Amino acid sequence: MNAIQIAYSPDETIVALGHKQGRIDLHEVSKKSKGKPEKSICTINRHEEAIVHLRITSDGHVISVDEDGKWAYHSISGELVRKGKSKMSCVLAHSDVKGKVIYMGSVTDDGVELVKIDISSGNKVHAPKEATHSIEPEFVDWGCRPIALDENRAAFYIQLATQQLIIVDFEKQSFETIPLKYRQLTPENLVSDPIIDISTTLDIGVRLDYHPLQKNEDGDYQLSAEVFRLSTGERKYSIPCDAIPKDHVDPVLIDGDQESEEYRKARAYFAKRLTNIRIEENGKRVWLSAIFHKPGVLCFDLEGKKHVGMVFSGNEPEPRTFNLDNAFELDQTFKVLGVSPSGSYIGFGLPNNWANPDFGDTFKVIELESDQKRSKNGGKQPQHMKKAFLVSDEWAVVNSGSECFLIDIHTGETLKHFRTEYLTIKNGALSPDKKHIALGCEGECGFLWNLESGEVSELYYLTIGGPVLGWLDDKRVVFTSGQGGIIEVDIKLFKEEGYEDSGHYGLKLDGDDELEDHEIMEMQVDASTSDMFSLEDKSMVLEILGYIGGGVGEKFWFNKYVFKGSKIKTGSIKAKWEGSYEPVDLMACGNKAIVKGEKNVFVYEAKTGERLNHFVLDKKQDQVFVNMEKNKAYIYTDMSSLCELDVENSNRKTILDMPRVKGFSITKNILLAQKEDHTIEVMDVGSGKSLVKAAVVKGKENSLVVEKRG
């Protein structure tokens, strides 16, 4: 499971899971399952953006808020009772324990906005302007976190170069700024929401310590949190979170000038190790997550002022592969943390770990069982599956961790396998003679997989994020470059040290000379904005140049690369887009180019750029994709229906219903569905018959294998 928000019901029998895509799942939970979500109760598909707040109320309702400021109030069975939109963006939110009101905080270029929303009426009340008039938005790092104190008051923690905690009484329209010693901890560019929690029952708050780096009795340094009095801001004491050997600490933090910019940057980087704080609703204990050697949570008794225990995931975190798409996103691996009201259950980390920790009188460390141990004990816990797709009506490629498998989709048998570090495959294409598979990957490389010898050659000059577009013939394959243009690789000329003897065609516009790298980066949308067409006796690649949108009838350019035999011609085509700027994907479908934005979809004649059709998706989460032959288009809707799409008139025909699917690939009558539970299912679309179900699990020799499950 990959929830980014976790909330438990007051009686601790239900858990709500909020996802990045806006979906909310409700499950039963019990000690029998050791805190792991069990039977599904319902799924709520009301939001389109990442969930930032969840609460299950004592009268059986679910409060949810997404980062775009939309809120909803559902029954526990999933029936919508009330909804609203705050007209805010970049929102952080919290609701009171009784579930009567929602508090939201937002920081944009226009200023800091603090509001209270009455759930029963939808009425919105703003905080007094004086509460935030002195705050300049450009000095706010990331967000304004509200914490409900009761139905009329909330504390707002605003992350600035100088931190501020403001308590607002919305009924009296008054406010109080709590004086904090905590000052210049994170001067700029901290991509994280504020790390703090408050207990109204004990009049205390817990946050990152003013001095996050402290020395312990053993001579090691430790990451620390701070307990402070909410009513006065007075610092009470420190909570050591993680001991770090001296040789693992930046020397600047030990011996540097604390007033220097170098020291402040090193301290800000060190402070990011503390990732989340949750105080139990009874106020007895606080749970702190940090960047330990693997996802883990520390429990501290606030009444006894002592450490109680720690819980660690049994699995090592996946190494992150850098790409431009996620460069500015939060890494949720260590950040996710949900705690039930009495601390009986916790959910943490990404993918999610579940536990019902039972700590005694002495400090206790609980290591959750790893997937490897579960497999040895007869369990079938699927490993994280990054990507799975068909390459023919016989074979599929599966990427899990650093492993890549070629499987027979009719039997589930593993035909070929290779392993390399930091492997994150985007897509792949089988050569016409079925002797090679070209793999497009994130990072600065692609791969050429020789199926006869099993040898895998790295194409490591393909720049950041280069999907493969297709094969021109048995010996030539075309990639797209994340920095614009396309790369033709002749596998006969290819040598391990690179592709210098193959062609790299850069951006061209109306016959202009090839652009410089910095100009390419400025004009290129991204690597998903290109695809290859098979037109009569030639192949053509179209890519979008320039940004989409900006005004009605906005013009943009298709770059085109036409391959005929061994020759290539380049040119450009003008086209039109209506609406505001949107990230887009380009897909070839017959002789038509489908350009999908967040909700707008335009269809163009590939040869001329003439716009043929326009339709709007129901939800941002609706997926549009084409089959391997690139002559049919499909939509997977937010309601879990897979539909065949007529691109000329936008008509849809439902093929099947299949919930919890991350991605599809289709060829002829064969469909592969990659599911959110890290399994795949291969089906015959015509008959609806399931051919094989598979997952990647740990084998007896601690290697990854594909196991037939159905």
Side-chain angles (χ1 to χ4, degrees), residues 188-232:
E188 56 190 49
N189 299 327
L190 176 58
V191 185
S192 172
D193 57 12
I195 308 300
I196 188 174
D197 203 6
I198 288 170
S199 169
T200 54
T201 59
L202 296 181
D203 186 34
I204 62 169
V206 181
R207 57 197 170 111
L208 190 67
D209 204 307
Y210 172 65
H211 298 290
L213 180 71
Q214 297 183 8
K215 197 171 184 178
N216 63 21
E217 296 177 355
D218 298 327
D220 290 333
Y221 288 83
Q222 58 194 22
L223 175 69
S224 300
E226 173 190 283
V227 178
F228 68 98
R229 188 174 298 281
L230 174 63
S231 56
T232 64

Side-chain angles (χ1 to χ4, degrees), residues 67-201:
E67 65 183 9
D68 206 25
K70 293 180 180 178
W71 60 271
Y73 187 68
H74 288 81
S75 69
I76 209 73
S77 61
E79 180 184 356
L80 178 66
V81 178
R82 205 163 289 110
K83 65 177 182 177
K85 179 168 172 48
S86 65
K87 296 183 180 180
M88 299 162 67
S89 59
C90 304
V91 163
L92 294 176
H94 198 241
S95 58
D96 71 307
V97 174
K98 295 180 180 179
K100 302 295 184 182
V101 298
I102 299 171
Y103 296 101
M104 295 188 192
S106 173
V107 180
T108 66
D109 292 340
D110 297 326
V112 178
E113 190 173 5
L114 315 178
V115 302
K116 181 185 88 168
I117 296 173
D118 183 277
I119 294 175
S120 62
S121 65
N123 292 338
K124 182 167 66 173
V125 179
H126 288 264
K129 291 184 179 180
E130 294 79 9
T132 59
H133 79 279
S134 62
I135 300 173
E136 299 182 40
E138 60 266 31
F139 295 114
V140 178
D141 289 328
W142 183 269
C144 167
R145 172 137 188 233
I147 301 174
L149 303 180
D150 54 40
E151 294 178 39
N152 293 308
R153 299 182 309 131
F156 292 87
Y157 188 64
I158 301 172
Q159 193 142 282
L160 297 158
T162 55
Q163 310 288 328
Q164 288 197 23
L165 180 63
I166 303 170
I167 296 180
V168 178
D169 189 318
F170 285 85
E171 184 178 46
K172 297 179 179 179
Q173 283 293 286
S174 61
F175 68 94
E176 178 186 8
T177 299
I178 304 299
L180 297 173
K181 186 179 178 183
Y182 192 1
R183 288 294 180 261
Q184 296 177 338
L185 175 64
T186 53
E188 56 190 49
N189 299 327
L190 176 58
V191 185
S192 172
D193 57 12
I195 308 300
I196 188 174
D197 203 6
I198 288 170
S199 169
T200 54
T201 59

Side-chain angles (χ1 to χ4, degrees), residues 12-83:
E12 301 185 334
T13 62
I14 299 173
V15 62
L17 310 178
H19 296 266
K20 182 179 177 182
Q21 300 81 11
R23 193 184 78 248
I24 300 168
D25 299 318
L26 269 67
H27 293 264
E28 294 178 357
V29 67
S30 69
K31 290 186 178 180
K32 184 178 179 181
S33 67
K34 296 184 178 180
K36 185 175 182 179
E38 297 179 295
K39 182 181 176 181
S40 174
I41 298 172
C42 69
T43 295
I44 297 171
N45 290 298
R46 182 61 51 184
H47 299 275
E48 297 184 353
E49 303 294 341
I51 301 299
V52 296
H53 174 66
L54 280 175
R55 180 183 293 279
I56 303 176
T57 65
S58 57
D59 62 353
H61 289 87
V62 181
I63 300 170
S64 57
V65 184
D66 66 35
E67 65 183 9
D68 206 25
K70 293 180 180 178
W71 60 271
Y73 187 68
H74 288 81
S75 69
I76 209 73
S77 61
E79 180 184 356
L80 178 66
V81 178
R82 205 163 289 110
K83 65 177 182 177

Side-chain angles (χ1 to χ4, degrees), residues 607-623:
K607 292 182 179 179
T608 64
E610 177 188 359
R611 194 171 68 197
L612 303 175
N613 190 19
H614 167 234
F615 59 95
V616 179
L617 300 173
D618 297 330
K619 294 283 187 71
K620 290 181 181 180
Q621 287 81 4
D622 290 354
Q623 302 177 39

Side-chain angles (χ1 to χ4, degrees), residues 431-432 470-478 488-492 505 532 563-568:
S431 63
W471 290 80
L472 299 171
D473 51 43
D474 292 339
K475 303 300 180 185
R476 294 184 301 156
V477 62
V478 178
E488 177 196 351
V489 176
D490 187 324
I491 65 174
K492 288 178 66 177
Y505 304 96
M532 179 182 284
F563 295 87
K564 188 170 184 179
S566 60
K567 297 181 179 180
I568 179 173

